[in-house]
Amino acid sequence: EAWQEFCKNIFIIMPRQSKGSLPHNASVHAFRGLITSSARPSYLAAQTLVHEGGHNKFSSVLDVFKLYSNESGEMYYSPFVEDLRPLQNLFHGIFAFLQDIHISYRLINQVQEIQGLSIEKYINKLVSKIEQALNIIYKNAILTSHGKQVVNGCEQALNLASSFKK
């Protein structure tokens, strides 16, 4: 499913240099269908592709719907980058990392190379960061009806992901 969606929405993958042992991946809000990525092992490339595809998709959501009515210059702590970011970045992080969680659970059971890697630890760290970001949004965002729907959908996706463990 993820591959079909990716092929439908991403048209250009621009290669980038890694940052040491860390991947260097990004999406640009103004360029739908483009992602950048450094080289990754195949099983982690799947994570990168769905994560950046998630950013692409969420950029379109932000173009169409107003999710909150806070002042545009307000900054909030982002557990994803451990720095201050605008609310839209928290929403982006939640949505994109939910993609990581869902694909990671699927990879655990289907990709032999992953056995022995601490994917569960990675997932648990992401769940914690998403929960922190959702709490920051709940405490600070003046959500519109669309924003409430998005937050509710993200919570449902997070709950669904936790059911994969069982």
Side-chain angles (χ1 to χ4, degrees):
E1 291 172 26
W3 180 247
Q4 289 171 352
E5 185 172 328
F6 180 82
C7 289
K8 190 168 59 173
N9 296 307
I10 303 300
F11 309 104
I12 300 170
I13 302 175
M14 186 176 83
R16 296 184 81 169
Q17 289 284 67
S18 295
K19 291 181 177 180
S21 63
L22 298 174
H24 193 187
N25 312 304
S27 294
V28 180
H29 182 85
F31 295 103
R32 249 24 128 254
L34 164 73
I35 64 171
T36 65
S37 181
S38 57
R40 313 248 3 235
S42 61
Y43 49 90
L44 294 176
Q47 268 182 349
T48 296
L49 297 178
V50 299
H51 177 93
E52 295 305 331
H55 279 304
N56 260 259
K57 181 184 279 187
F58 202 75
S59 287
S60 296
V61 169
L62 289 174
D63 283 347
V64 177
F65 299 104
K66 184 173 174 130
L67 303 182
Y68 52 88
S69 57
N70 297 58
E71 295 292 322
S72 62
E74 292 179 10
M75 303 287 273
Y76 300 93
Y77 176 76
S78 168
F80 306 110
V81 295
E82 299 179 352
D83 200 2
L84 296 177
R85 293 290 188 267
L87 274 176
Q88 79 174 24
N89 291 45
L90 270 75
F91 279 98
H92 255 288
I94 291 166
F95 191 83
F97 283 112
L98 278 168
Q99 313 306 309
D100 282 34
I101 290 170
H102 280 254
I103 193 81
S104 295
Y105 274 123
R106 287 170 175 86
L107 291 171
I108 287 171
N109 298 319
Q110 297 183 21
V111 177
Q112 188 64 33
E113 295 94 341
I114 280 185
Q115 305 310 314
L117 297 179
S118 37
I119 299 298
E120 289 93 348
K121 184 177 176 182
Y122 172 73
I123 291 169
N124 291 336
K125 187 165 43 166
L126 290 183
V127 167
S128 176
K129 288 181 180 198
I130 289 170
E131 288 171 342
Q132 287 177 53
L134 284 168
N135 285 331
I136 291 165
I137 286 171
Y138 275 127
K139 288 179 185 172
N140 298 290
I142 304 165
L143 295 171
T144 65
S145 61
H146 294 298
K148 290 175 185 174
Q149 289 176 323
V150 167
V151 168
N152 185 42
C154 289
E155 287 179 328
Q156 288 177 17
L158 191 58
N159 291 334
L160 176 63
S162 66
S163 73
F164 294 146
K165 280 185 188 180
K166 301 170 186 171

